Amino acid sequence: MLVADFVLDRLRRWGVHRIYGYPGDGINALLGALDRADGDPELIQPRHEEMGAFMASAHAKFTGELGCAMATSGGGAIHLLNGLYDAKLDHQPVVAIVGQQKRIGLGSAFQQEIDPNTLYKDVSSDFVQTCMHPAQARHLVDRACKVALTNRTVATIIIPEDVAEADAIPSPPREHGAVFSGVGWSRPRVLPDPGELQRAADILNAGGKVAMLVGQGAQAAGDEVMEVADVLCAGVAKTSLGRVEPADHLPYVTGPIGLLGSTASDHMMKNCDTLLLVGTAFPYAEWLPEEGQARGVEINLDGRMIGVRYPMEANVVGDARETLRALLPLLGRKTDRSWREELEREVDEWHRVLDDRAHDDADPLNPERVVQEASQRLPDGAIVTTDAGSVANWWARHLKLRRGMQASLAGNLATMGPGTPYAIAARFAFPDRPIIAFVGDGVFQMNGMLELITVKRYRERFEGAPLVFCVFNNQDLNQVTWEQRAMAGDPKYPGSQWIPDVPYADYAEMLGLRGIRCDSPDDIGKAWDEALSSHGPCVLEVIVDPEIPPVPPHLMAEQAKKAVKAVAKGDPETLGIAEKGAQQKVHEFTESIKSHLPGGGR
């Protein structure tokens, strides 16, 4: 047994059965060991190391298990970084295995010699070590896995070629300096401080208008979140990483928050007198209550993040589920339901606004209609991914997710690229579940099209359930275009924003996959039915209007002034964005008037 064989066997004992990686001579010994491993762990070969790291991050997100990515020395190690940063910033346990030149050549400026210890010092700040001796391999793998799981972060092991090729030493010599590590880890119960918990309960009991914001850390506490919301007559907004729990059909769930948010969430935050954050580090403080408006309670497993978004009177460090369970007996059930009823009217109004917007005329197809139609057809147990770009707005607002579904994106890194590899990793982890990726044409050109070749390679394993890549073709890097207008006060700059038209459905067909193209609002429902009836990979290309603005719940004064300034400078789409942006706000005004009429205006 070589060190390379031993490392893979040790990873297997830690529950790693799939490694996403790309070959190179810096990891030749590990590739040979993977061949001898008979598929456990198996190597999944993406088209690029960055995509492999995204897949490892997605595996951790959707399964709760360790993700694992592998790359060769030099350029391969560099390519991993963006996907690993996605795991680090979204707090996912991923182990990275990186090759290195032979020890004898280190320091000589040898070909492909870089310093991965320094390079990975930030992305893998909690653990990055080089295996300099075969007897180290055992405790390095064990500690990397323990650190990744405990700190929910990236841990990296760098293995020089000659060490990987050396004979394994499964048990170190019994001498001073040797350590004898073991496989094994268990998730702790992190319980809150009783005094701080009582302080939190007192604040929440005194509040008359409680607003809850839940994130990724609360997704395993859906029942508890719903029960607390019921007792407090609170509304619940959700971050993009906390998309699923509680489910969107509940009348008090106000939906997304922030630039991608809903008018219902915005109304709740503007008018609440008490704010309860659970399992989130939502960064945009301008979308929370004004300082001094609301009393604050926060529950977070990570004490480093307590009270850094809003001044909190109760800072409760603990696991979301355990803490909410301990909090519930201390809460008094509120009998005045006027606040809850007010929020439910806002939620109902918001859903009507979304439906109105989705049915607005567009040239040729309204992107909101695309996601609205998909939402009505989401199969049970679906896993839904998306990417950075304007498509994330429609994904956040229009999809109504039910219990048993999963959804994610690059939340804190907000990078282009993960939507497609996330979907591929989800399919490997859950062969029988429907998988849908919503991606823009810009990011699909960046890397998604190449990863369809990965789908082609493993196609026989992807049959049996829908795997749909919905590509929004508008020939525009649309989110940045709108940011240029609203944040910089500049018109759309075609030199940076225009991208070539590519026949994505035809490209899928060329690879032997299924391709569907739709450019008509009358046909989009049928197109979704066709795509979701596929028993394997399918690209649904939708030709959408780039002039449909991802208007936030309310326009900040500075953003409005800059948008007007951009139009005044001669934006090439001035007429379209003025007409369509105004129409969106008309829907909000109209539905608001209706909701205040007897019978809700219906």
Side-chain angles (χ1 to χ4, degrees), residues 242-262:
R243 278 288 279 115
V244 175
E245 290 286 355
D248 288 313
H249 70 276
L250 297 171
Y252 57 85
V253 172
T254 62
I257 187 173
L259 285 170
L260 280 60
S262 72

Side-chain angles (χ1 to χ4, degrees), residues 206-223:
K209 298 180 177 182
V210 180
M212 296 178 67
L213 174 60
V214 302
Q216 179 176 249
Q219 294 306 282
D223 289 339

